[in-house]
Amino acid sequence: MRTRFTDLLGISVPVMQGGMSSVARAPLVAAVSEAGALGTLGAAVFAGDEAGLRAEIDAVRAATARPFAVNVPLFLGDLAWWLIEQLAAAGVTVVETAGRSPAPFVGALHDAGMLVVHKATRVRDVLSAQRAGADAVCLLGGEAAGHPGPEQVSSLVSGRLAADALDVPWLLGGGIADGAGLAAALALGADGVLVGTRFAATREASVHPAVHDRLIAASAADTVVVLGSVGDHARVLATDRARELAAAEAAGAAAAELHERYGDHLFRTVVTEGDLGAGVLACGQSVGLVGDVPTAAELVGRMVADARAAATRLAAAAAGA
Ligand SMILES: Cc1cc2nc3c(=O)[nH]c(=O)nc-3n(C[C@H](O)[C@H](O)[C@H](O)COP(=O)(O)O)c2cc1C
């Protein structure tokens, strides 16, 4: 497949796997990139750990010679600058920035030879990232896992608005898990898609089998947005822990209690030990489309084949056939 995004990145499938802290480690990143899409290393977990970060980047490179990205959560402040220095020293060529305006960072990233793909949840924010010099942007609809933003406009509506407004190559994310979703995004005018939740349910993702079982069992309605009362909206799997957090929030609990219940510092325990009672798990509505745990290469291959089949259906409909 070929779009402005694949041309910009030198890849062959217009699919980017979004950075996922603890989940998207070297095995997943390398497998996605090796399949022709763009893998993204979740680097937040290595903030401050120079040797760990370098070893992880080296592990990706040992497994694939293809391009890959590294996620830089810009809200980390000084640690974001620290990460950028490390990535520059390691010769990383693509970053997925998110969480704050990339404007203060784009110059330094470009000086270090990196392409900037900035991810945001509102059309006005991706437009401002474009003005700041981002090489590509990703617009996330409200269906997305992680931080879908305060407005949570659906991908279908956001995507149409973005298509009319953006000049740089752009991806649509949030709710996309298969080839029909990829075809729909391309039909809207996107240059590709960004996918998180679906890649968490692949064999190379660094998650416990119990988490995979929960993702397969969950329906599209089994997510909940929490932490909106403290301005940090997060879409997570509706586990008992997440429901208790939502109830505490509705009862007016203070920010400190909410963050404690959220259990950010225990995310690794949730993911790697499968202890879904220890904290919450970022999860998008597309979890309802997860029915198995394929390899990343199988998933990417299916997405391409199914997108082509969808394009054939569109062409037949358009031709009145
Ligand atoms: C388990 C998990 C962890 C995530 N961690 C991060 C992260 O560390 N940084 C980030 O920018 N986005 C993170 N995300 C969000 C994804 O990169 C991506 O934006 C989102 O999943 C796309 O929506 P989708 O889940 O509907 O495909 C995470 C998502 C999941 C499912």
Side-chain angles (χ1 to χ4, degrees):
M1 297 180 77
R2 185 170 178 200
T3 68
R4 294 185 303 167
F5 188 73
T6 62
D7 282 353
L8 178 69
L9 274 301
I11 58 176
S12 56
V13 178
V15 173
M16 179 170 181
Q17 164 254 309
M20 296 182 277
S21 193
S22 296
V23 171
R25 301 201 44 178
L28 178 61
V29 177
V32 172
S33 287
E34 196 55 21
L38 186 71
T40 305
L41 189 64
V45 70
F46 296 109
D49 174 7
E50 185 174 344
L53 178 62
R54 194 56 187 254
E56 199 75 8
I57 290 170
D58 289 347
V60 177
R61 287 198 173 124
T64 184
R66 299 194 190 208
F68 66 94
V70 180
N71 175 257
V72 180
L74 298 177
F75 57 79
L76 291 177
D78 287 348
L79 276 175
W81 284 110
W82 178 88
L83 267 176
I84 289 168
E85 266 172 39
Q86 301 301 314
L87 301 184
V92 166
T93 56
V94 190
V95 287
E96 178 204 44
T97 53
R100 289 278 181 284
S101 165
F105 302 90
V106 170
L109 291 164
H110 281 166
D111 287 348
M114 292 187 244
L115 286 173
V116 180
V117 183
H118 184 72
K119 184 168 75 174
T121 62
R122 296 185 295 202
V123 174
R124 67 170 184 268
D125 294 335
V126 287
L127 279 172
S128 100
Q130 171 177 275
R131 278 195 303 278
D135 301 284
V137 294
C138 171
L139 181 63
L140 284 181
E143 301 94 325
H147 296 280
E151 295 176 358
Q152 291 154 39
V153 175
S154 72
S155 295
L156 194 62
V157 173
S158 274
R160 258 331 281 153
L161 293 168
D164 288 340
L166 285 164
D167 298 317
V168 293
W170 66 281
L171 306 177
L172 187 60
I176 295 163
D178 58 19
L182 168 57
L186 296 176
L188 285 174
D191 298 283
V193 293
L194 180 120
V195 177
T197 300
R198 188 63 184 96
F199 276 114
T202 57
R203 266 191 245 166
E204 294 89 346
S206 297
V207 307
H208 192 276
V211 174
H212 278 158
D213 290 346
R214 279 301 286 268
L215 295 179
I216 289 173
S219 81
D222 287 336
T223 71
V224 59
V225 176
V226 295
L227 300 192
S229 63
V230 290
D232 194 19
H233 306 75
R235 187 176 289 286
V236 301
L237 189 64
T239 56
D240 289 347
R241 174 127 186 158
R243 288 202 175 95
E244 284 159 20
L245 163 53
E249 197 169 8
E257 181 191 337
L258 296 177
H259 282 112
E260 178 60 31
R261 288 178 179 274
Y262 189 83
D264 213 4
H265 57 295
L266 291 173
F267 187 62
R268 219 191 288 213
T269 310
V270 174
V271 165
T272 56
E273 291 171 26
D275 181 0
L276 287 153
V280 300
L281 177 69
C283 184
Q285 292 179 342
S286 65
V287 72
L289 300 171
V290 171
D292 61 1
V293 180
T295 65
E298 282 165 354
L299 178 61
V300 171
R302 271 187 219 169
M303 288 186 79
V304 171
D306 292 349
R308 290 195 175 121
T312 304
R313 287 199 302 277
L314 283 180

